[in-house]
Amino acid sequence: MAKTKQGKRDIDSYTIRGTTKVVRVGDCVLMRPSDTDNAPYVARVESLESDGRGSVRVRVRWYYRPEESKGGRRQFHGAKELFLSDHFDTQSAHTIEGKCIVHSFKNYTKLDNVGPEDFFCRFEYKAATGAFTPDRVAVYCKCEMPYNPDDLMVQCEGCKDWFLTA
């Protein structure tokens, strides 16, 4: 185990309070918001640290929902879409409510069943500037919008172009 600050040490895992679910570095988690009317925040665990007296802190990298970004939610954003931000933070591990999976956009579109714990990410987001990487994505349909996996699209057998169904 790597030493950190005096009396603190990195740990390999944390069991979510009241469950048997184990969180490890690299896992995506749902974090309890201060306002319980809001949806849980989503974050990726970067490190876990114990003070040796039972208190565990978790360093996370936040995912933002489109409505939390400077541009807001747009028509092509999927309901389960998140942006991986450059915003890091340290929280008490007791604020972890559960685990989730943040899929790549490509893998998300291949899921047979999307569960409540499934999300997807196709952009990285710089919180201070509101910039996205990549700064553009492929567009489809006659409306020339990026693909929203919540909308049913069909491919024309003649021209091979994709179109939204109404």
Side-chain angles (χ1 to χ4, degrees):
M1 303 270 166
K3 277 283 193 188
T4 56
K5 296 175 188 146
Q6 186 175 8
K8 298 184 181 195
R9 62 184 175 90
D10 287 340
I11 57 175
D12 295 325
S13 63
Y14 169 78
T15 302
I16 300 172
R17 185 187 283 184
T19 74
T20 58
K21 293 181 180 175
V22 176
V23 173
R24 291 183 171 77
V25 171
D27 287 347
C28 292
V29 293
L30 301 169
M31 305 284 287
R32 185 179 316 102
S34 56
D35 181 353
T36 55
D37 290 337
N38 292 337
Y41 296 113
V42 180
R44 185 173 70 197
V45 176
E46 299 293 315
S47 66
L48 295 158
E49 179 182 274
S50 172
D51 66 1
R53 297 179 309 218
S55 179
V56 176
R57 307 281 291 165
V58 57
R59 180 165 168 75
V60 297
R61 183 174 181 186
W62 295 109
Y63 283 95
Y64 281 42
R65 289 183 172 84
E67 55 273 15
E68 298 165 340
S69 71
K70 288 191 177 185
R73 182 170 287 281
R74 307 272 302 275
Q75 179 183 350
F76 65 86
H77 291 137
K80 306 292 288 280
E81 185 158 5
L82 303 171
F83 310 141
L84 181 61
S85 79
D86 59 353
H87 178 185
F88 293 81
D89 202 3
T90 302
Q91 300 283 320
S92 167
H94 295 310
T95 61
I96 299 174
E97 289 185 343
K99 291 175 72 169
C100 62
I101 303 168
V102 180
H103 302 273
S104 70
F105 180 69
K106 184 177 181 178
N107 289 345
Y108 182 84
T109 61
K110 293 178 181 178
L111 292 177
D112 289 329
N113 294 305
V114 176
E117 72 287 345
D118 290 308
F119 297 90
F120 73 92
C121 178
R122 61 178 152 183
F123 296 106
E124 288 196 23
Y125 177 68
K126 293 196 180 303
T129 64
F132 289 93
T133 304
D135 60 359
R136 62 184 69 161
V137 292
V139 294
Y140 299 90
C141 188
K142 60 187 174 199
C143 63
E144 296 190 0
M145 292 292 287
Y147 178 52
N148 178 341
D150 300 331
D151 295 334
L152 180 61
M153 295 184 80
V154 294
Q155 187 178 29
C156 173
E157 291 181 13
C159 70
K160 301 297 182 197
D161 206 353
W162 286 89
F163 297 92
L164 284 173
T165 59

